[in-house]
Amino acid sequence: MALNLVMLGPPGAGKGTQAERIAAAHGIAKISTGDILRDAVQSGSALGGAAQAVMDAGQLVSDEIMVGIVQERLARSDTAAGFVLDGFPRTVPQAAALDRLMAGRDPLVALEIAVGEDQLLRRLLARRVCDACGATPAGTTDETCRRCGGRLVHRSDDEESVIRERFAVYLRDTSPLVDYYRARPTFRSIDGTRSVEDVAGEIETAIASMVAGTSTADRT
Ligand code: AMP
């Protein structure tokens, strides 16, 4: 069975960090819509030009553009064994579109990583991201990425006024997704306030229990 995972949670909850670990552990594709948009901005493409101002204001790129990006990405063969989506869906219409894109594929597994706002703000203000490989090493004061030697920089939208706007957008547009998925047997909420290792352990336990649950359901 393919592991088709959606990571939910506010900015700074650790979705990207955990998505990377899950993708490596399960040999599945990691799809980060934020990374796709940042790459587009860096390459100077038309998409990047349209997305940059929206991202720097902490707002959301349109559902139409985002669904198009994800549809195209999911059509690639490396998603056949499964995928982990980081940063998508972010609105109920995006979630409904994703359900349509899942026709004929194994069911989505949705994980919420829950962290309170004070801790998120501290994390985001301290966050550094590698400008070459996108790694976000936790709690580092290094200026160089240990993985690839790239430069660790501050994300332009990790600035307090933009972070506050992103929280507001999350509350208004994205947090309803928790209710959208909560009723499904393939939804779990994880306490994201603990260490990266502890959160990763809880996620693996949750994935194992959900995968066992869906395969039991398939047999009955
Ligand atoms: P992230 O790296 O996931 O925090 O995304 C950074 C920014 O990219 C967000 O603040 C949005 O402006 C934009 N973005 C990423 N994913 C989406 C999405 N699914 N829908 C709309 N905007 C998005």
Side-chain angles (χ1 to χ4, degrees), residues 33-34 37-38 55 59-61 66 87-88 90 94 155:
T33 47
L37 293 172
R38 280 184 289 279
M55 293 169 79
Q59 300 296 322
L60 295 183
V61 174
M66 296 314 301
F88 184 97
R90 253 185 166 92
Q94 290 182 14
R155 245 172 75 168

Side-chain angles (χ1 to χ4, degrees), residues 36-37 39-54 61 65 69:
I36 292 171
L37 293 172
D39 285 348
V41 169
Q42 274 202 339
S43 73
S45 68
L47 168 64
Q52 181 158 32
V54 178
V61 174
I65 291 179
I69 288 174

Side-chain angles (χ1 to χ4, degrees), residues 12-199:
K15 299 185 298 294
T17 301
Q18 297 296 341
E20 197 166 309
R21 294 177 72 117
I22 297 166
H26 293 267
I28 59 178
K30 172 187 170 244
I31 304 172
S32 160
T33 47
D35 284 351
I36 292 171
L37 293 172
R38 280 184 289 279
D39 285 348
V41 169
Q42 274 202 339
S43 73
S45 68
L47 168 64
Q52 181 158 32
V54 178
M55 293 169 79
D56 282 343
Q59 300 296 322
L60 295 183
V61 174
S62 77
D63 289 340
E64 196 188 344
I65 291 179
M66 296 314 301
V67 170
I69 288 174
V70 169
Q71 178 167 17
E72 206 175 280
R73 183 64 188 83
L74 288 180
R76 289 192 4 212
S77 59
D78 67 338
T79 64
F83 57 81
V84 46
L85 272 169
D86 158 31
F88 184 97
R90 253 185 166 92
T91 65
V92 170
Q94 290 182 14
L98 180 60
D99 279 339
R100 290 192 292 275
L101 292 176
M102 295 305 292
R105 302 178 88 132
D106 285 315
L108 284 174
V109 169
L111 287 177
E112 178 198 22
I113 308 186
V115 180
E117 237 179 62
D118 287 354
Q119 189 171 349
L120 293 171
L121 182 64
R122 280 198 303 278
R123 286 186 188 182
L124 290 170
L125 289 172
R127 175 158 77 177
R128 295 289 177 277
V129 49
C130 174
D131 69 356
C133 75
T136 51
T140 184
T141 51
D142 295 354
E143 289 180 2
T144 307
C145 176
R146 288 189 190 183
R147 187 161 77 182
C148 79
R151 221 161 37 104
L152 293 180
V153 297
H154 196 65
R155 245 172 75 168
S156 59
D157 58 350
D158 280 345
E159 189 251 309
E160 184 158 349
S161 62
V162 183
I163 292 171
R164 299 240 177 243
E165 187 56 34
R166 286 158 63 208
F167 285 166
V169 168
Y170 175 79
L171 261 184
R172 189 187 64 218
D173 295 327
T174 309
S175 66
L177 290 181
V178 174
D179 282 331
Y180 184 90
Y181 289 111
R182 192 187 295 281
R184 301 184 184 188
T186 50
F187 170 86
R188 294 284 187 283
S189 184
I190 308 280
D191 171 6
T193 59
R194 291 162 309 152
S195 70
V196 172
E197 295 298 329
D198 285 355
V199 174

